[in-house]
Amino acid sequence: MLSHLNFENDEISGAILAIPVLIISVLLWIFLIKKSRTKVAPLPPGPRGLPIIGYLPFLGTHLHHTFAKLAQIYGPIYKLKLGNKLYVVISSPSLAKQVVRDQDSIFANRDPPVSVKVAAFVGNDITWLPLGPDWRKMRKVFVRELLSSTSLDACYSLRKQEVEKSIKNVHGKAGECLDFGELAFGTLFNIIMNILWGGTLQGEEGTKVTAEFRKAVAELMVIMGEANVSDFFPFLARFDLQGVERRTRKVGVWIEDIVNFIIEKHMSSNIAVKEDGVGKKKGRDFLQLVLELQERNDPATSITMNQAKGMLVDVLIGGTGDTATVVEWAMAEMMMSPHIMKKVQQELDEVVGVNNSVEEFHLPKLLYLDAVVKETSRLHPAVPTLVPRCPSSSATVGGFTIPRGTQVFLNVWAIQRDPELWDNPLEFRPERFLNGEDCKLDFSGNNCKYLPFGSGRRICAGVPLAEKMLMYLLASWLQSFDWKLPPGEELELSEKSGIIVKKARPLIVIPTPRLQNPEH
């Protein structure tokens, strides 16, 4: 009898245990069925390339051209395997919008190359700093305090001083052949140096340091533009097969030594903002601003010394290389279409007045010149594929999976020349920005068919300063001079490869004064 009861109890216990097992089994079965029905988005299409090295041998020297040709085969989103890293190229506004607007928080990260990682002030510049609290603070400080309207207005006298110097210099060489790109770079370099540290360095000392800094930055740009095997095969980075890391460290130390010298010189001088004893304040430059930020006790706005140096170098590189490139392309396009240059000069005569010098308050009224600058940036964006983004987690774009850590290029060069988006896209026609829907386009990145400076969190932080200098330089030089090609010189618009895409051949021009007095 007892054994019978024990048998029944065992049966009941077994049944009770079977119920949760059955429930779990049913739920697991339902989950597996649903999972099997859920399709994981595939990777984008793309060329197969070669074993191990992928598509590396076929990239060529002009990435944006290669990318545009591949888009004609594989569509507006495709993948490339370069070494053991995955790259995705996007060349349509709708897909670009998914990256820079809809999923900006995911795609706002960076995966810097080796040359950036070992350069001076690594991890402390706005361009390459990973997305996070430090980057947000740096960006906020940079935009609100260094590039605010108040700060830019305070630096106007410094910009004007250097532009006037360049005009006098060109007057002294009237009728001679000038390298216009060199003129633009030199003027912008002096403007940025003056804005950064004002009167800290003068005379021969200033000339020497400026020349050294310019040479160091130019060398760094060359190194960063090289295809480095360590970036495509990270396990080879320890061997530094091309010497990129060694050369970058050398240039980085050179740049850091120069910056440290300038900061020490500035801090020991009496050019800092303070009362000078007669109720006036001396000029306030960017260096003084960032030093003040470095000294603050407020964690929300204070920055480290390395971050201050990183911001200074960001301004210097972005304010010279990128801006000088667009200025040269704008002049080259106007030289190709003299009637456009005449329209700009007619507008200048009407707004500024004959024999008057250009002031920055004139710039908002120069609508046709503004259209010329926008059209130049459409056809010749300084960085055609922008700085690549790196998603912090896997995401879906256009129905395709973009794995975490993928390098994502936005080919704005191709987007801004797409015949489905632009009427006669290869024609230099500033009027397109004066009439119709395109007249609403600007550099803010709100419309993804026009992104010369990017969009979203990673849009170029220096746009306000760059836009002012682009307009001011072109307006001043076109108001002061007529520009012609040397006899027998043929103008062409081929490109030179590099991070920043410049003209392959220098633009050689001959200036003739329009103003009677170079002082005006």
Side-chain angles (χ1 to χ4, degrees):
M1 181 70 178
L2 184 61
S3 61
H4 178 69
L5 289 175
N6 288 337
F7 179 74
E8 288 183 347
N9 289 337
D10 288 342
E11 286 185 330
I12 294 173
S13 299
I16 293 174
L17 289 173
I19 292 175
V21 171
L22 179 62
I23 293 174
I24 293 173
S25 298
V26 171
L27 291 177
L28 181 61
W29 179 75
I30 294 174
F31 172 77
L32 292 174
I33 291 295
K34 287 186 175 181
K35 186 176 181 181
S36 65
R37 292 179 178 177
T38 302
K39 294 183 178 179
V40 178
L43 293 174
R48 294 178 61 88
L50 299 176
I52 301 177
I53 59 178
Y55 202 75
L56 269 174
F58 312 110
L59 283 180
T61 56
H62 297 87
L63 287 183
H64 51 295
H65 290 276
T66 302
F67 289 167
K69 291 177 181 177
L70 288 173
Q72 295 176 358
I73 301 173
Y74 299 101
I77 178 171
Y78 59 88
K79 70 177 185 300
L80 292 172
K81 198 69 181 298
L82 304 179
N84 61 3
K85 284 196 172 184
L86 184 66
Y87 293 73
V88 168
V89 182
I90 291 173
S91 54
S92 84
S94 60
L95 297 177
K97 179 177 178 294
Q98 293 182 38
V99 171
V100 301
R101 309 294 292 184
D102 302 340
Q103 303 181 78
D104 188 28
S105 60
I106 295 176
F107 285 93
N109 216 348
R110 300 288 199 214
D111 181 17
V114 170
S115 58
V116 171
K117 292 178 180 178
V118 302
F121 322 123
V122 60
N124 291 295
D125 73 298
I126 296 174
T127 301
W128 292 102
L129 196 69
L131 184 67
D134 283 343
W135 178 84
R136 293 185 182 92
K137 179 172 64 174
M138 287 271 289
R139 172 87 183 195
K140 183 177 180 180
V141 166
F142 190 77
V143 172
R144 290 191 179 182
E145 306 216 28
L146 298 185
L147 293 182
S148 66
S149 296
T150 301
S151 296
L152 289 178
D153 289 344
C155 294
Y156 171 52
S157 61
L158 301 176
R159 295 193 295 276
K160 181 178 179 180
Q161 175 184 332
E162 293 302 329
V163 172
E164 289 176 345
K165 285 182 181 179
S166 77
I167 292 174
K168 290 180 182 179
N169 179 48
V170 175
H171 263 279
K173 299 178 181 179
E176 300 178 15
C177 293
L178 296 179
D179 183 330
F180 189 80
E182 185 177 300
L183 170 67
F185 188 93
T187 303
L188 284 162
F189 194 85
N190 290 335
I191 290 174
I192 294 298
M193 293 288 280
N194 210 350
I195 290 175
L196 287 180
W197 36 76
T200 300
L201 301 173
Q202 299 292 339
E204 293 184 4
E205 181 183 53
T207 301
K208 179 181 178 182
V209 172
T210 298
E212 288 182 355
F213 208 131
R214 179 176 178 179
K215 183 178 179 181
V217 171
E219 186 171 344
L220 181 61
M221 292 299 98
V222 170
I223 295 173
M224 291 176 63
E226 296 179 5
N228 184 11
V229 68
S230 297
D231 292 321
F232 306 119
F233 299 96
F235 65 90
L236 295 175
R238 69 181 70 179
F239 303 108
D240 191 22
L241 298 176
Q242 295 165 257
V244 170
E245 182 173 347
R246 173 181 52 79
R247 288 182 288 142
T248 305
R249 288 189 187 279
K250 182 179 178 181
V251 176
V253 170
W254 189 6
I255 292 175
E256 187 167 15
D257 287 345
I258 295 173
V259 172
N260 287 339
F261 171 76
I262 292 170
I263 290 177
E264 291 170 6
K265 191 82 172 178
H266 193 287
M267 294 177 69
S268 63
S269 71
N270 59 1
I271 201 168
V273 176
K274 61 182 179 180
E275 296 294 334
D276 62 5
V278 291
K280 297 181 180 180
K281 288 187 176 183
K282 293 186 177 182
R284 196 184 197 197
D285 52 51
F286 274 22
L287 179 55
Q288 183 59 36
L289 282 169
V290 296
L291 290 177
E292 290 177 1
L293 294 173
Q294 189 265 331
E295 295 170 353
R296 289 183 181 178
N297 294 322
D298 181 10
T301 59
S302 64
I303 59 177
T304 67
M305 180 59 79
N306 275 343
Q307 289 172 338
K309 295 173 183 177
M311 280 200 286
L312 292 173
V313 174
D314 271 343
V315 174
L316 182 63
I317 295 175
T320 53
D322 293 16
T323 309
T325 298
V326 178
V327 169
E328 184 176 14
W329 280 117
M331 182 59 76
E333 289 285 6
M334 285 187 283
M335 298 291 286
M336 291 284 284
S337 305
H339 67 282
I340 292 178
M341 184 180 294
K342 287 298 180 185
K343 283 187 178 181
V344 173
Q345 290 177 323
Q346 289 172 4
E347 180 181 61
L348 285 164
D349 290 343
E350 293 172 3
V351 174
V352 179
V354 179
N355 284 325
N356 290 331
S357 60
V358 177
E359 301 283 352
E360 282 194 354
F361 66 79
H362 292 128
L363 301 185
K365 302 176 183 178
L366 299 174
L367 302 182
Y368 192 75
L369 177 60
D370 179 63
V372 167
V373 171
K374 288 178 179 177
E375 179 72 339
T376 302
S377 299
R378 181 186 72 83
L379 282 174
H380 308 284
V383 185
T385 58
L386 304 181
V387 178
R389 293 170 175 249
C390 183
S392 54
S393 63
S394 293
T396 302
V397 175
F400 296 103
T401 294
I402 310 296
R404 176 186 177 185
T406 302
Q407 292 272 28
V408 179
F409 288 96
L410 301 180
N411 193 354
V412 299
W413 180 88
I415 294 173
Q416 294 174 178
R417 290 172 176 243
D418 189 340
E420 295 186 4
L421 303 172
W422 303 89
D423 182 34
N424 297 318
L426 302 184
E427 178 185 350
F428 187 80
R429 185 158 53 87
E431 287 77 8
R432 74 176 78 243
F433 289 97
L434 296 175
N435 305 300
E437 288 297 318
D438 291 342
C439 70
K440 300 177 183 178
L441 297 174
D442 55 29
F443 296 140
S444 65
N446 290 325
N447 189 322
C448 289
K449 68 178 281 188
Y450 187 68
L451 302 172
F453 292 97
S455 180
R457 288 171 174 81
R458 288 295 186 170
I459 191 173
C460 175
V463 170
L465 179 59
E467 191 172 7
K468 277 183 178 293
M469 292 196 298
L470 280 169
M471 291 284 289
Y472 190 31
L473 276 184
L474 287 169
S476 298
W477 286 336
L478 290 169
Q479 173 72 345
S480 300
F481 305 98
D482 287 317
W483 304 84
K484 296 181 179 180
L485 293 175
E489 180 77 13
E490 293 185 6
L491 181 60
E492 51 77 40
L493 302 177
S494 60
E495 300 172 341
K496 182 179 181 181
S497 62
I499 292 181
I500 300 172
V501 177
K502 304 178 180 180
K503 281 185 85 279
R505 292 175 54 191
L507 176 61
I508 306 300
V509 293
I510 298 176
T512 302
R514 293 183 76 232
L515 303 185
Q516 296 177 359
N517 189 345
E519 295 294 330
H520 293 288

